[in-house]
Structures are given as structure tokens and as C-alpha cells.
Amino acid sequence: MGTIVIKFGGSSLSTTDKIKQAACRIADYKKKGKEVVVVVSAMGKTTDQLLQLAGEITENPAKREMDMLLTTGEQVSISLLSMALTEMGVPAVSFTGWQAGIVTEKVHSNARIIDVKTNHIEEKLAEGKIIVAAGFQGVTEDGEITTLGRGGSDTTAVALAAAIGAERCLICTDVTGVFTSDPRYVPKARKLPSISYDEMLELANLGAGVLHPRAVEFAKNHQVSLEVRSSTENEDGTVIEEEVSMEKNLVVRGVAFEKDITRLTVFGLKNELTGLSSIFSVLAKNQIDVDIIIQSQTDGNKTNLSFSIKNKDRQAAVNVLESQKETIGFENIECEAGLAKVSIVGSGMVSNPGVAAQMFQVLADENIQIKMVSTSEIKVSAVIAGDNMISAAQILHDTFNLGTVVEKEKIQ
């Protein structure tokens, strides 16, 4: 008897009718002879409502108490879904994150999973019950409740799948799979039958919201076969695994884009060995993520340093750097907001030189100025004006023929 892990997001559980629909889907897998572990998020906008309640009490809530508050959302989902399954005559038991054995590091609001103790789950599976576990949450070794941050339920599902040796982890959501781009903005985008871990990880990091990067990374590290599929439609989704069915001649596999990017430039940085490390160390200590970095030498043995960050981090980044201005040693800071990042991703780029040049040329032909560039073996990203983001994504999608289904071949 094989075991599968199924994850349902909040939009798939936003009403009691949707919870009953999810219960029917789960029961079908049980009828097919599968052992089933279900991971769920909080219903609909529950997490937003809880955040609003906290905001009405205080502008600066303690992270520990926020974890205590936010974990209640998933507990509503697991209990109601377990009730729905039981009402259908399908034995089920609900587990919080800590009852499911999710052990995390001692960090509130954005903890990482360090262990999964499966004894309790395996005991109930042996009794023929479906496990309904709360995503997004865990417990430290000394009993403190924690949450896993954005996309935490995806990570919970993958972690449980790895720990119990599940044959597949199904991520059920309001889309039918992973598309070549966001179909809401790129009408010709189409669903991919499969994609590699590395490609999916790049797309997730570059703005594709269908899977959280941490979940994909966990799946790759533990070789968990993932499938993103619809929570309501009975059709095949997109399989994410190491060896995939590639499409012949398709060098680029997807176009991702992300808005609300700021370019921050530090002028007159002392040209010392510790200059760069000083800046990025202080930003890291304040949980400010830096993406693309460009350094340029100036007259007078000084350096200008530009890097991209999220708009939401702009003021915090400026404040923390200004507070360390004398220690770091720079002249002034300038910010350019209202930018966006558009990226192409594909493992075929490794053996096909000229893809970046083609991308830059087609953007130039459309008078879209590139402000910053970042590359890896399987992706090229360009920072551009935010107003050009959607048109750039559509142009690149057409340029690399992503809307066309082509002949498939197996990686050897």
C-alpha cells in the first residue's frame, strides 16, 4: 500500500462546501488503497484576519505571541476537514504541527524544520486512519510553538512526505499546474507536464507563486516527487522531479516576473577589503534580502555599489545603513523604486550560448531599458521599469516560443 501526502491551500478550504469537496477528493485516494496524510492551511483569509486583530491591539506584537495566534487558523481547518471525512464514513484524525512531529529551530515567525518525528503519524496510519495535519507550524525541542513563514504549509507537506517515504506529494491549489508564465497576464501561457527541481526552484525564487522556494529546495534535497494540481479539477498537473520529460528544442522553460523592486546605490564606498562584507553583513542581520549586486570603480580609489531589494525593505535598508555610515565608510545613498524584475529560466540554456543576448536584444527592440542583470547557468534576470513588466514578459514568452507544444524527449 503506497502512501501519498496531499496539501490543500487556504483558498481550497475557504468555505465549508469547499472543505467537503476536499474531503471527497481525499476519500477517493483512500478508496484506491492509498495511505493518506493531508496537510492544510488556514481557511481563506483567516490569517489576514488574525493579523488585523493583532494590529488593533499593538503595532509591535511579540513574535512568540504572533505564532501562538496564527497557528490557531490551521487548527480550525484540520478539525473541520477531519469532521467532514468522518461524516463520510472515512476514519480521520487531526494533528497540530507539534502532534505531527514537526520539530523546528528556535526562531519565531520564520523557523526551519530540523526534524520530523513520525511515530504518532505511523501509528494512526497503521490503524487505517487518514491524518489531517496542520501546515505552517511546528514546535521547538523545548516546547515553544513556531511558524514556518510564508509558504510554510508547502514545506510541511514536503517534509512529511520525505519523513514517511511517500511515493508522491500532491500540492492541490487553485491552478491546474505550473505554467510557462502567469496565465493571468500572459494569455499564451500553457501548463507544463513536468519540470525539474532546479528550474522550479529558480521560477519560485523569481516570483512564480505556485510553490514556495523552501518547499522545492526541501523536495530536491530529499528527492520527493511533487505534483502541482488543481484542488477541484480532475486532471493531471505538473510533476516536479529530478529527471523529467523534457520538450525537444525548448531551451527556455518559463518566464517569471516580480514587481515592487528597488535599486539602492551606495556611493563613495571606501575601496577596502571589508567594505562589501560590512554592508551585506549589517543588512543580513536585519533580515533584509539582497538580490542583484553591481560594483563599479570610481576615481579617487572609491567604489559605487548597487543592489536590488524589495520595495517593502527600502526604508529599513536605508535606515540601517545610515546608522552605520561612519563605520562602513560611504558618502551617500540613492534609491530608485518602481522597478520590476523579469526572468527567463531553462536548463537547456546551459548548452545553448546566445540566449541572454537574444533576451537583451528583444527588450532593446521594444525600447525597454535594462537597469541591472543577473545570470546563472539556467536563468537570466533583468531589472526594468515596473511599467514595462507585463509587456516584457509577454514579448519574451513569444520570443522563446513557450506557447507552442513541441515534441518531447527523455533526458538520457
Side-chain angles (χ1 to χ4, degrees), residues 218-260:
F218 207 108
K220 175 179 171 60
N221 291 341
H222 296 273
Q223 292 295 292
V224 175
S225 178
L226 286 176
E227 182 179 353
V228 177
R229 60 184 304 153
S230 170
S231 57
T232 57
E233 303 296 327
N234 188 21
E235 63 176 87
D236 291 339
T238 301
V239 176
I240 301 124
E241 53 192 353
E242 194 68 59
E243 183 176 305
V244 300
S245 177
M246 295 290 286
E247 295 179 333
K248 191 174 182 179
N249 299 325
L250 196 58
V251 176
V252 175
R253 301 272 285 163
V255 175
F257 46 90
E258 184 178 9
K259 63 179 181 178
D260 297 332

Side-chain angles (χ1 to χ4, degrees), residues 40 112 176:
V40 299
R112 288 183 175 270
T176 58

Side-chain angles (χ1 to χ4, degrees), residues 127-149:
E127 295 175 4
K129 294 182 178 179
I130 290 175
I131 309 298
V132 183
F136 178 65
Q137 59 187 243
V139 66
T140 65
E141 292 283 8
D142 56 0
E144 286 290 314
I145 293 172
T146 56
T147 59
L148 308 181

Side-chain angles (χ1 to χ4, degrees), residues 259-388:
K259 63 179 181 178
D260 297 332
I261 302 295
T262 289
R263 177 171 65 176
L264 190 151
T265 303
V266 179
F267 290 96
L269 181 66
K270 292 178 182 178
N271 194 16
E272 299 175 352
L273 292 176
T274 58
L276 293 180
S277 63
S278 297
I279 285 182
F280 295 119
S281 293
V282 73
L283 292 173
K285 287 178 182 177
N286 287 271
Q287 288 79 50
I288 298 171
D289 290 328
V290 174
D291 187 14
I292 302 173
I293 302 169
I294 297 175
Q295 180 182 11
S296 59
Q297 194 77 25
T298 67
D299 294 335
N301 199 33
K302 291 190 176 182
T303 295
N304 293 338
L305 182 69
S306 295
F307 52 89
S308 63
I309 57 175
K310 303 290 180 63
N311 278 1
K312 65 181 180 64
D313 293 327
R314 179 176 68 246
Q315 195 58 54
V318 171
N319 290 345
V320 72
L321 290 177
E322 289 287 1
S323 71
Q324 301 291 319
K325 185 174 183 178
E326 295 301 321
T327 302
I328 296 172
F330 63 88
E331 295 173 359
N332 64 293
I333 296 174
E334 288 186 5
C335 294
E336 182 180 6
L339 304 178
K341 181 169 63 177
V342 62
S343 309
I344 57 173
V345 175
S347 56
M349 292 165 60
V350 176
S351 56
N352 286 271
V355 175
Q358 187 177 2
M359 174 182 178
F360 301 151
Q361 185 61 57
V362 73
L363 292 178
D365 290 344
E366 297 295 327
N367 295 317
I368 297 175
Q369 182 184 4
I370 297 173
K371 298 175 180 289
M372 305 178 81
V373 171
S374 173
T375 65
S376 74
E377 287 187 332
I378 65 170
K379 67 98 173 174
V380 182
S381 296
V383 173
I384 60 176
D387 292 343
N388 292 327

Side-chain angles (χ1 to χ4, degrees), residues 31-87:
K31 290 174 184 176
K32 294 175 182 177
K34 300 292 185 183
E35 290 184 336
V36 183
V37 175
V38 185
V39 174
V40 299
S41 301
M43 293 176 64
K45 300 295 184 180
T46 298
T47 301
D48 291 338
Q49 293 165 359
L50 293 172
L51 288 169
Q52 181 178 343
L53 287 174
E56 292 173 5
I57 298 294
T58 174
E59 293 182 357
N60 189 31
K63 288 185 177 181
R64 180 189 184 276
E65 302 310 324
M66 284 303 299
D67 281 356
M68 293 291 286
L69 175 65
L70 296 181
T71 51
T72 64
E74 282 73 24
Q75 291 185 55
V76 174
S77 298
I78 60 174
S79 57
L80 291 176
L81 183 54
S82 296
M83 291 177 192
L85 288 163
T86 302
E87 184 69 15

